[in-house]
Amino acid sequence: MKDVHIAVGVLTIALNGAVAVVGAWEWWRARSDRWFWWLLRAGQLAVVIQVVLGGVLLALGHRASNLHYLYGALPLLVSLIAEQLRAASAQMVLDDRGIESARAVGKLPDEQQRALVTTIVQREVGVMTLAALVVVVLLARAAQTAT
């Protein structure tokens, strides 16, 4: 079981590392490809599986340092917070531009609507990319503190 936990941990770090790299590229290009979002969801699912496996190992009596548990569980919290920030990012962009509702967006010229959508997507990708990078760092630290 410990070997499965290690293998899934390596996969989780690799997936989230890929999300960070692809996300940085997508952010720089100010666009979003569906592959980025699928990769992101796969990385998030891997984090959940990794935390569950760690919990199973703990329940079976395997022990690690307290830091290992902290670094292993924090990626789940980071992912949840990042999702909340991503969801709020559209409203933040609208607020920054003084737009009060989606109806007001529909009244903007097409060019301004496209620019607004591009800004929102870029911010969402940026938030999730940074979260994936933090997850990679936390999981690498968890691996370093494993016993």
Side-chain angles (χ1 to χ4, degrees), residues 28-119:
W28 184 73
R29 291 179 17 186
R31 60 169 289 199
S32 174
D33 190 353
R34 71 178 138 170
W35 292 104
F36 166 75
W37 295 102
W38 289 353
L39 188 60
L40 172 71
R41 298 304 177 221
Q44 289 173 330
L45 178 61
V47 166
V48 171
I49 292 169
Q50 184 66 356
V51 170
V52 169
L53 287 172
V56 169
L57 280 172
L58 182 62
L60 292 174
H62 294 275
R63 298 289 177 239
S65 71
N66 288 338
L67 279 178
H68 182 75
Y69 300 128
L70 179 65
Y71 287 130
L74 278 176
L76 193 57
L77 183 61
V78 166
S79 294
L80 292 171
I81 291 170
E83 284 295 335
Q84 294 302 311
L85 287 173
R86 183 195 62 79
S89 66
Q91 190 60 49
M92 287 188 271
V93 170
L94 294 175
D95 290 346
D96 286 347
R97 297 192 180 191
I99 300 172
E100 294 183 19
S101 71
R103 281 196 180 116
V105 172
K107 295 178 183 176
L108 294 173
D110 287 347
E111 201 171 293
Q112 288 180 356
Q113 286 182 30
R114 277 192 283 284
L116 188 63
V117 168
T118 299
T119 302

